[in-house]
Amino acid sequence: MARGFNGSTQYLERTSAVITGFPCTLSMWLYIGSTSGECMGLCLYHTSGLNNIQIDHPNSSIGFRAFAEQAGSSSTSQYRSGTSSTGWHGLAASWATYAQVPNFWIDGVKVTGGTTFTGSGGTMTLSRTGIGSYLFNGTRYYGSMSSRAAWCAMWNAELTDAELKALTQTTPRHPSLVRPQSLQAAWDLGGHYGENDLSRFKGNDLTAYNTPTWHEQPSIIYPRIVNLPQRAAAVGGATPWLYARRRSQIIGAGGIT
């Protein structure tokens, strides 16, 4: 399953920022029904300021976008964009610092054009986390069209090209299989663990507002812990021990395939 948003009232939010600065990486699968409208993706933002980091779809001329803005004596912004089409798309962007234009991947391909950067920025202040909506200078924005989100995640690290590709390629790897030591939140928004807005990491759960809907989601390579039989005591009377190994499975809307 995946969360669906109507583009006018529905969103998920946490009243704290999962990540408060750089380096950082945002990743999600985003479904759009039209390339002409605006839809909000995965966002970090401030309740009243001009500070935000997000991956989204602002309009047809920009397409998908990795965007950051921070306010100082004057507001400065940067983004990298790539062309879009309807349907499901894997998006992931990483930043080392604000002054670095983001490393942006769409559907397993690195984006090389559509870059804008203005100024050196001020102080980044982030206080909330959201999907489907964000606050900009105290005003809430939803976009102008419906969308769906699945497999959203955030890391407090700059992921590599290989890791960003793994998150966005056809049949992607689950976020917990990519740099787990730096993973701060992973919202499946359905799938193996049921229809909920809980984070698989760090307890950074989201709250649903105005009843976002549930929809089918794309398939993913999902981790599964398999408990193996208890091993006999080692020579010398050592205590028997249990061990486990990780096995990856492909799980989609129809279950394990």
Side-chain angles (χ1 to χ4, degrees):
M1 305 302 289
R3 273 300 201 183
F5 308 98
N6 60 11
S8 59
T9 61
Q10 298 169 341
Y11 62 101
L12 305 176
E13 187 174 69
R14 178 174 178 81
T15 56
S16 65
V18 170
I19 298 173
T20 57
F22 302 95
C24 71
T25 298
L26 276 59
S27 174
M28 74 177 304
W29 277 77
L30 180 65
Y31 179 95
I32 61 172
S34 170
T35 60
S36 61
E38 178 183 15
C39 68
M40 302 304 161
L42 180 60
C43 314
L44 293 160
Y45 45 93
H46 191 263
T47 54
S48 59
L50 300 174
N51 297 276
N52 57 91
I53 305 171
Q54 61 198 69
I55 47 180
D56 60 7
H57 184 276
N59 53 57
S60 58
S61 61
I62 293 177
F64 294 116
R65 175 182 67 168
F67 176 78
E69 181 168 25
Q70 61 185 21
S73 56
S74 62
S75 176
T76 62
S77 63
Q78 59 166 304
Y79 73 82
R80 189 184 292 276
S81 65
T83 57
S84 62
S85 60
T86 58
W88 280 107
H89 296 276
L91 312 176
S94 64
W95 291 259
T97 66
Y98 178 75
Q100 174 211 8
V101 176
N103 187 5
F104 191 26
W105 284 70
I106 303 172
D107 297 335
V109 178
K110 186 172 183 176
V111 177
T112 57
T115 301
T116 294
F117 177 71
T118 304
S120 58
T123 301
M124 179 67 75
T125 303
L126 301 167
S127 59
R128 295 199 179 192
T129 306
I131 302 174
S133 173
Y134 76 106
L135 290 166
F136 182 75
N137 204 24
T139 300
R140 182 167 296 280
Y141 291 88
Y142 301 93
S144 59
M145 67 177 181
S146 60
S147 63
R148 302 172 190 173
W151 315 120
C152 301
M154 294 182 176
W155 293 256
N156 61 354
E158 180 192 20
L159 297 192
T160 65
D161 282 345
E163 290 169 326
L164 296 174
K165 181 177 181 179
L167 290 163
T168 60
Q169 64 190 355
T170 302
T171 312
R173 297 184 71 80
H174 187 272
S176 64
L177 294 173
V178 178
R179 197 88 68 97
Q181 67 272 24
S182 301
L183 184 59
Q184 301 302 299
W187 303 283
D188 292 358
L189 306 181
H192 185 61
Y193 294 104
E195 295 180 1
N196 60 67
D197 305 307
L198 306 179
S199 170
R200 299 293 123 210
F201 278 67
K202 306 288 187 179
N204 287 315
D205 303 335
L206 298 169
T207 299
Y209 293 86
N210 302 313
T211 319
T213 51
W214 292 103
H215 301 269
E216 290 188 353
Q217 62 192 155
S219 298
I220 197 166
I221 300 175
Y222 212 99
R224 180 181 176 188
I225 301 300
V226 181
N227 291 322
L228 300 179
Q230 187 171 9
R231 184 173 175 177
V235 176
T239 302
W241 54 282
L242 294 174
Y243 67 102
R245 64 183 175 87
R246 174 164 289 179
R247 184 178 70 191
S248 293
Q249 291 183 311
I250 300 176
I251 295 184
I256 300 173
T257 59

